[in-house]
Amino acid sequence: MAARGGVNTPGVKKLLEAEARAAETVKRARNQKALRIKQAREEAEAEINAYRAQREAEFQRNQRQHAGNTDDVAQRIQRETDEKIKAMEKRVADNQEEVIQTLLKLVCTVEPRLHENFGSRK
């Protein structure tokens, strides 16, 4: 009975060796899995960075294209605004004397009369 329960029996040794090999195999598999996950993460990060760089380049190119258009639009708007201001100033200059005369006539011409409510008190 002592022979069966002993640690030195060939069957137990084989089981312990098999268990050790299995543990080593599981350890290698876990290490390989961790390595694959790390590589996948690095590949994904590189892919994301490449995509980000591509989109940034497209954005910069688009900004340069529209920046020129924005300057042209701003210049056109400024030119149109200046033209409208000049046209308004000309109309003011053309009508200034007539407006002054009309205002003076209305202010200086006094027509005395009773207020409309004054007669209704009776």
Side-chain angles (χ1 to χ4, degrees), residues 68-87:
N69 293 340
T70 303
D71 292 341
D72 295 342
V73 170
Q75 290 174 354
R76 181 179 52 84
I77 290 172
Q78 185 62 44
R79 187 174 55 250
E80 290 174 359
T81 303
D82 291 344
E83 290 172 1
K84 288 179 182 178
I85 290 173
K86 285 179 186 176

Side-chain angles (χ1 to χ4, degrees), residues 97-110:
E97 188 60 36
E98 183 181 339
V99 170
I100 290 173
Q101 291 304 319
T102 303
L103 287 173
L104 284 174
K105 180 180 164 190
L106 291 171
V107 170
C108 294
T109 305
V110 178

Side-chain angles (χ1 to χ4, degrees), residues 114-122:
L114 294 176
H115 191 273
E116 60 187 39
N117 291 336
F118 183 73
S120 64
R121 288 188 187 179
K122 294 181 183 180

Side-chain angles (χ1 to χ4, degrees), residues 7-51:
V7 177
N8 295 331
T9 61
V12 172
K13 278 187 175 182
K14 280 187 176 183
L15 284 175
L16 290 175
E17 289 172 2
E19 186 178 339
R21 283 193 311 264
E24 185 62 31
T25 303
V26 168
K27 183 180 175 184
R28 276 195 314 258
R30 284 185 182 152
N31 289 342
Q32 287 176 350
K33 180 180 177 183
L35 183 61
R36 281 196 310 269
I37 289 173
K38 183 179 177 184
Q39 287 173 342
R41 212 176 261 142
E42 289 171 355
E43 289 173 7
E45 190 173 318
E47 201 172 306
I48 289 169
N49 289 337
Y51 180 74

